Amino acid sequence: MTDQEPRERADAPGSELGETARQMRAAEPYISAVWKLVGGAVVGVLGGYFLDKWLKTSPWLLLGLSLLGIGVGFYSFLHAMARLGKRK
Amino acid sequence: MRKAMVLFACLFAGTVWASEPHGGSAAAGEHGKPHDETDAEGEDVAGYILHHVSDSNEYEFEIPLSHEHVAFHLPKILIPFHEGACTPVVDPHGGHGEVYPGLGAGCLDLSITKHTVMMWLAALLLIGSLLLWSNRDKTKLVPRGAGANLFEMLVLFVRDELAIKNIGKEEGPRYVPYLLTAFFFILFMNLLGLFPWMATATGNIAVTCGLAVCTFIVTQVAGIRAAGLGGYLKHLTGGVAPWLWPIMIPVEFLGLFTKPFALTIRLFANMLAGHIVIFFLLGLIFMLRSPAVALVSVPFAFGIYLLELFVAFVQAYVFTMLSALFIGMSVAMGHHDDHGHGHKEGGESHDHGKAHHA
């Protein structure tokens, strides 16, 4: 096995990342930022809905947490974009 | 292409179904058969397809050129969490017979099913083929035989084209054993479904979900290895102020599950769709009640069968490729957050783990 290794190393063509991997890594921060934007609203609305159901405070927690979730989503989205801009 | 085929089959079936009243009345006039019988036969085809592609507690063998079936009842293993939790109840969905309560009612069903048997068979084939075709004679550099060469080609493909190209030269080889296992296990499960009397275990969402959970765990472990536990947890906060963490942590946590969810649904739907299309094309013979339809539908079904043979490899490849891609992204993200040295996005490989580990 040991005498096989140099041959395999020399043959290995994967010294560079593939095109798909490069593109996905480039896109990942943007996908993550979009998820933060959408996810904030989703978590706020769902959290508010179920808390309202549990605490019987409908519709106040739904309204409050939805607004908070949307706000946090926007904030984190802009924060991520600003950080990406700085990195560039 | 596959979607187009499904769409085509659906449109064709829809046309047949829509024209049924006229054809049906003609048939009723000519042969004295009522509408309901035709409708029932149409439903039977759908029922047959669903019965064939779904999991069950019995293994059924159809004897060719006869209407006889030989069924083997597989063992039922039920673990009740409390007294009487696994008592069978009448099917709440209006089906025939009794069903066992689910996990929510405190009954853990670990019964052996048709798809479990297929998974065992795939695992046995995987282990057997590796034992048979691995290079056991260390004095020879080159393995002999077609099987050994085919396996070597596939192994090298997974290592060089999937692991190294998606994860990187340094970190990639670490994850090759997992990727190879996933690739060959899925490939064998996919191919088994193309043999008569066998079933496709990957056409079961529980199986694909289990495989995606394995990838999910490996991805998270890769992320923790690259960024450290602190860096990994810091990433989950989304980089916002601490008072916003109660919202942002659930968002980031849910975001972790989007990738394994995509893996689960994609493999499941692709494998299920192919089988449904084949059965549907053959079922048209019975739905249209004419043997002449076989002249068209059998060659079509044969074509789709050949396509399925190709798809078996493609799906194993895609699952492994996406797993490698997600692991690579996790590794890269860890290194990026760890060092913050301003790599150009999408430029250089972030994989320099070896230098840091050293």
Side-chain angles (χ1 to χ4, degrees), chain B residues 237-280:
Chain B
T237 62
V240 293
W243 67 275
L244 293 173
W245 286 1
I247 292 269
M248 199 35 71
I249 289 173
V251 170
E252 291 285 344
F253 184 73
L254 286 176
L256 295 178
F257 296 97
T258 52
K259 287 166 189 164
F261 180 76
L263 279 179
T264 305
I265 301 296
R266 200 197 43 73
L267 181 60
F268 160 69
N270 276 301
M271 292 317 296
L272 192 70
H275 282 62
I276 289 178
V277 170
I278 290 177
F279 282 114
F280 205 84

Side-chain angles (χ1 to χ4, degrees), chain B residues 146-231:
Chain B
N149 279 309
L150 179 74
F151 252 71
E152 190 188 4
M153 185 190 80
L154 290 172
V155 167
L156 287 180
F157 175 75
V158 171
R159 189 192 69 176
D160 296 339
E161 299 298 320
L162 300 182
I164 291 174
K165 284 221 169 144
N166 287 304
I167 304 173
K169 203 167 80 176
E170 303 297 335
E171 287 280 323
R174 193 191 302 280
Y175 301 100
V176 169
Y178 169 71
L179 296 173
L180 279 172
T181 311
F183 178 79
F184 283 108
F185 188 50
I186 295 170
L187 180 66
F188 281 125
M189 280 195 287
N190 291 351
L191 288 176
L192 275 177
L194 296 175
F195 285 91
W197 300 302
M198 299 281 173
T200 315
T202 38
N204 185 334
I205 198 161
V207 174
T208 56
C209 184
L211 290 163
V213 165
C214 293
T215 293
F216 174 72
I217 292 169
V218 174
T219 309
Q220 301 317 309
V221 169
I224 293 169
R225 272 183 60 86
L229 189 62

Side-chain angles (χ1 to χ4, degrees), chain A:
Chain A
M1 190 66 203
T2 43
D3 51 352
Q4 253 183 314
E5 272 191 13
R7 181 180 66 91
E8 284 178 4
R9 292 250 172 209
D11 286 348
S15 54
E16 291 276 327
L17 282 180
E19 192 54 36
T20 316
R22 261 201 295 273
Q23 284 171 355
M24 281 300 285
R25 285 187 192 189
E28 210 279 332
Y30 301 96
I31 297 169
S32 170
V34 170
W35 169 250
K36 281 172 188 168
L37 179 66
V38 178
V42 169
V43 167
V45 170
L46 289 181
Y49 174 76
F50 286 110
L51 277 177
D52 258 349
K53 231 178 167 181
W54 184 42
L55 300 171
K56 296 187 174 31
T57 50
S58 182
W60 303 112
L61 285 176
L62 173 66
L63 285 173
L65 285 181
S66 300
L67 288 174
L68 184 67
I70 292 165
V72 172
F74 264 106
Y75 172 71
S76 56
F77 175 77
L78 294 173
H79 188 258
M81 285 295 118
R83 213 163 50 168
L84 276 168
K86 263 186 205 167
R87 198 183 285 173
K88 274 185 175 173

Side-chain angles (χ1 to χ4, degrees), chain B residues 103-176:
Chain B
L103 196 59
C107 182
L108 179 63
D109 190 354
L110 291 179
S111 303
I112 295 164
T113 62
K114 191 166 69 175
H115 288 162
T116 316
V117 174
M118 286 298 114
M119 279 198 286
W120 286 348
L121 204 55
L124 281 176
L125 279 171
L126 175 55
I127 295 166
S129 50
L130 283 177
L131 288 176
L132 190 67
W133 290 317
S134 63
N135 194 13
R136 280 171 296 174
D137 187 355
K138 303 289 178 204
T139 55
K140 289 175 191 161
L141 277 180
V142 183
R144 295 268 169 91
N149 279 309
L150 179 74
F151 252 71
E152 190 188 4
M153 185 190 80
L154 290 172
V155 167
L156 287 180
F157 175 75
V158 171
R159 189 192 69 176
D160 296 339
E161 299 298 320
L162 300 182
I164 291 174
K165 284 221 169 144
N166 287 304
I167 304 173
K169 203 167 80 176
E170 303 297 335
E171 287 280 323
R174 193 191 302 280
Y175 301 100
V176 169

